[in-house]
Amino acid sequence: MHKISKFRVTDVIDKDSLRNGKDLFSKQIFFVKGVVDVSGLPKDGRVEVCFAGRSNVGKSSLINALTGRRSLARTSNTPGRTQEINFFSLGETNYLVDLPGYGYAKAPINKVDRWQALLRSYLSSRASLRRVFLLIDIRHGIKPPDEELITLLNKVAVTFQVVMTKCDKVGSKSVKQVLDNTRKHLELQPTAYPEILVTSSIKKVGVDFLRAKIADIE
Ligand code: GTP
Ligand code: MG
């Protein structure tokens, strides 16, 4: 018998959540600081969500799409653009956190080690971190460096939600294949949030859903 996956793709969100998302993201948004060492993290206590994923997957672009600000977070064609943990203040209650990417083979090894260590210590020690949005390029699906991060998140018991990016780049047939594979993968992960979002920052697909998901986090 075909087993129905508990991992559904979010294709509808109730009106209240959508409104809450819109309201939250109409509040004041500004860059707080870039952190290169966990000792520099801002005082915690807000509802904090971060955006993690391979270099170039579209983390910074998604933050810009969410906030409706074209260059709040710096983006680039060249992988390895974001090199610090960047904190953005949203209203008086939330932080959005843009992380450096991983899995970029061409970055100098000492830099990679430093980013990885910083990422790991942030993800495993930040008490107010409510959810990691794990961005996956919809053309590529989950890759070994993502698996490594998922292993860490399972270990430190931080919930992560998969957000597929760049859906404007693919047709519906390959989307189905990647989503099926992603679901299979997530079934085995204890800290995976059971909904997958499909987004495009360029075409603004799924961005209102993501705002609503963030606003729903208590
Ligand atoms: P690092 O900071 O290097 O880890 O990268 P990042 O994950 O922050 O990626 P970034 O937002 O800088 O985007 C990388 C490239 O992908 C840029 O050229 C973006 O314009 C492009 N990009 C991001 N989102 C989308 C999208 O939804 N669709 C398309 N077609 N391109 C996108
Ligand atoms: Mg970036």
Side-chain angles (χ1 to χ4, degrees):
M1 200 177 77
H2 181 66
K3 183 170 170 286
I4 296 174
S5 173
K6 70 168 177 171
F7 287 89
R8 70 178 189 97
V9 173
T10 306
D11 52 5
V12 56
I13 285 195
D14 66 86
K15 275 198 191 127
D16 285 348
S17 295
L18 282 171
R19 189 172 337 101
N20 291 342
K22 202 170 161 207
D23 288 350
L24 177 62
F25 279 82
S26 65
K27 298 201 168 137
Q28 195 188 27
I29 297 166
F30 60 92
F31 172 67
V32 179
K33 68 190 300 200
V35 172
V36 290
D37 187 281
V38 279
S39 64
L41 291 172
K43 193 166 142 315
D44 62 11
R46 290 185 176 207
V47 174
E48 188 166 317
V49 299
C50 70
F51 298 83
R54 295 169 72 210
S55 288
N56 220 40
V57 71
K59 300 175 290 297
S60 302
S61 301
L62 191 58
I63 289 184
N64 290 339
L66 280 167
T67 58
R69 301 262 296 269
R70 213 188 298 168
S71 49
L72 183 69
R74 269 194 281 165
T75 65
S76 166
N77 264 324
T78 317
R81 168 75 265 176
T82 308
Q83 307 193 352
E84 299 177 339
I85 297 185
N86 288 321
F87 280 80
F88 299 91
S89 171
L90 172 57
E92 287 175 1
T93 49
N94 289 63
Y95 279 132
L96 303 176
V97 181
D98 189 13
L99 296 175
Y102 50 79
Y104 173 44
K106 287 193 191 130
I109 193 82
N110 59 341
K111 265 195 174 179
V112 173
D113 287 350
R114 217 174 53 228
W115 295 345
Q116 296 311 303
L118 178 60
L119 262 181
R120 293 180 95 79
S121 52
Y122 165 72
L123 292 172
S124 43
S125 69
R126 188 72 171 163
S128 49
L129 178 60
R130 297 288 210 287
R131 193 176 302 172
V132 174
F133 290 101
L134 174 58
L135 274 55
I136 303 289
D137 189 320
I138 202 156
R139 296 168 297 177
H140 306 138
I142 293 176
K143 297 283 182 192
D146 303 311
E147 288 171 14
E148 271 180 45
L149 186 81
I150 292 173
T151 303
L152 171 73
L153 296 173
N154 285 333
K155 205 168 113 200
V156 298
V158 173
T159 303
F160 69 94
Q161 177 167 10
V162 165
V163 176
M164 307 306 268
T165 62
K166 308 192 184 183
C167 75
D168 56 287
K169 293 255 195 189
V170 285
S172 54
K173 204 168 156 200
S174 52
V175 168
K176 188 181 175 309
Q177 182 74 56
V178 172
L179 287 175
D180 283 349
N181 291 341
T182 306
R183 277 197 194 93
K184 263 185 222 143
H185 206 103
L186 294 178
E187 297 286 359
L188 308 169
Q189 313 304 333
T191 57
Y193 186 88
E195 271 181 44
I196 301 170
L197 287 165
V198 174
T199 66
S200 162
S201 296
I202 286 192
K203 297 271 192 243
K204 310 282 181 281
V205 174
V207 174
D208 51 348
F209 284 2
L210 182 51
R211 288 191 195 113
K213 295 308 294 185
I214 294 171
D216 274 349
I217 299 172
E218 308 218 312

